[in-house]
Structures are given as structure tokens and as C-alpha cells.
Amino acid sequence: MSLLQVQGLAVAYGDSRVLWDVGFDMAQGEIVALVGANGAGKTTLLRALTGLVPARFGAMRYCGTDLGPLKAYERARLGIAMVPEGRRLFAGLTVHQNLKLGATARASREGEDHDLAFVFELFPELKRLEHRLAGLMSGGEQQMCAIGRALMARPSLLLIDEMSLGLAPVIVERIAEAVRLVNRDRGITVLLVEQDVGLALEIATRGYVLDTGRVTIDGPADELLRREDIRAAYLGLN
Ligand code: ATP
């Protein structure tokens, strides 16, 4: 079943057009990678989905609902949560307080303690650091906290922007495993935006390549990983 359908999406900042006629779809339960070079428009696409920037043209439907007229908080209530690039935690609040803030995106805060327990089970590191100020944690710990905060919103679609940026490979693998787990065990659909194309296509089942604001290539992740043009352009391989 189609969870998200995007058609003919165009976004601009003032006179500067960033996305052109972007179309893609996601089925319930998938992990989809959205990859592309620096400045291709990946973050802008996520911001258009969450309602942080307006669409100039096009349609976005989520579970059949037209997202166009909905404000960011209304889209969050529908189940769309984002882990932003750079994590954007409240540095002066504790891990616990940051996580609790994630639940404010929901219509009802019932079951919050249960969700908190789930996040701590997923990332036991966070339980140990529960009362630490978020700003004092390592990049990897902050990324875990940012993912945990998004999960506290009890999303059906998780948008993750630059999950691996600046993190050590061992931490990236740890976080990637957690993403696979929430997808498999909780059925959360994941849209993964990554500059590390190899990593994203390893985690995802399907992928889209965004090139200067347009989707230029799409297909099953394993096929994309084998394509000569993708290997040359994004993986530094021939
Ligand atoms: P990166 O991985 O570097 O974040 P990206 O693919 O996510 O790249 P975007 O951040 O969406 O790309 O940026 C796409 C283009 O839009 C870039 O040229 C960028 O300079 C421009 N842009 C992004 N945000 C704004 C803004 N608030 N105002 C004006 N231009 C912007």
C-alpha cells in the first residue's frame, strides 16, 4: 500500500528554484534512500514534506491525505517525524528532557513512559546518560538522542537527514542497525537522506538519486549499487 506519494513537487527559496518536478512514492514498511551530491536539494525535500518550506507546485499525499494545506504540527500528528541534519537537540536540556519533547508532537501523550522505555532499550547508552546535558554528549550519542526524540512522536514515517555525517564507522553501523530494527519490529517506514550513498543503499531496499533538484535515477538499492554511473559519480569507484 502506498504510504507517501509525491508528484510534480517544486520548491524555491525566493527566486531560487531548488526542486523541479520531483516525484516519488513510498510503500508502507519500506526503507527508501534519497541520495545525491551536496546541495542537490535533499534537505529541502524533507523540509517540504514536514511543512517547513512551502511547495510552489505539486502534490504530496500521505495515507491518502493531501499534505498541502496542513501545517508542520498537523503533519507531525499524522505520523511524520524528522531527524534533522545536525541533530538540533536542546543543548542545555538533559537527554530525558529532549526525549520527552519529542512526545509533544503527538495528539495524545498516553503511553509516553512505554515509548521512553523502548528508546532506552534501543539505545541503552541513552539510559546511562539520561540526566546528562545533551550538549555535553558525543556526536554519536546526540544522533541516538535525536532518533529517540523522533521515535517519541510515535511516527509511521521517519525522515532521517544525514544520519552518518561526522560519525565514526562503528557508531554509524550501530545506528544503522537500530534503524533497521525499528523498521522491522515496529513497521516504521524510513526515508533516509545520505551523502554516503554506499551506506544508504546498503540499508535501503530502494533508492532515488536527486541531481540538482530533479530525480534522475530510481530503482532497487542493489541494482543502483551495481550501476557504473552511480559507482563512478557517488562511490568513487569505476
Ligand atoms: P546538503 O547535503 O549539503 O545539505 P542537500 O542536498 O540537502 O545538500 P539542500 O540543503 O536542500 O541540499 O540545498 C539545496 C539548495 O538550496 C542549495 O543550493 C542551498 O544553497 C539552497 N538553500 C538551502 N536552504 C536555503 C535557504 N533557507 N535559503 C536559500 N537557499 C537555500
Side-chain angles (χ1 to χ4, degrees), residues 33-55:
L34 177 70
V35 298
N38 226 333
K42 306 180 297 296
T43 298
T44 299
L45 177 50
L46 296 189
R47 291 168 63 83
L49 288 172
T50 53
L52 296 176
V53 293

Side-chain angles (χ1 to χ4, degrees), residues 12-14 16-19 35-47 53 85 161-162 165 193-195 210:
Y13 296 107
S16 166
R17 180 74 75 92
V18 172
L19 295 179
V35 298
N38 226 333
K42 306 180 297 296
T43 298
T44 299
L45 177 50
L46 296 189
R47 291 168 63 83
V53 293
E85 183 175 353
D161 197 2
E162 300 296 357
L165 199 65
V193 160
E194 268 288 334
Q195 273 183 44
L210 197 62

Side-chain angles (χ1 to χ4, degrees), residues 97-177:
Q97 289 166 330
N98 270 283
L99 291 174
K100 294 280 261 192
L101 278 175
T104 57
R106 299 185 344 208
S108 152
R109 298 186 68 167
E110 204 183 316
E112 200 176 305
D113 291 344
H114 184 268
D115 293 336
L116 196 59
F118 170 71
V119 170
F120 287 150
E121 196 183 310
L122 188 67
F123 296 122
E125 300 84 336
L126 294 182
K127 177 71 188 160
R128 286 196 298 277
L129 297 167
E130 192 175 358
H131 302 295
R132 174 83 49 94
L133 293 181
L136 298 179
M137 298 198 299
S138 71
E141 290 159 353
Q142 289 188 11
Q143 187 62 295
M144 290 177 200
C145 189
I147 293 173
R149 178 181 59 184
L151 291 173
M152 289 296 291
R154 216 180 264 183
S156 41
L157 174 63
L158 190 58
L159 312 172
I160 310 183
D161 197 2
E162 300 296 357
M163 181 186 85
S164 72
L165 199 65
L167 304 182
V170 61
I171 302 293
V172 171
E173 193 40 54
R174 165 93 185 75
I175 292 174
E177 200 43 49

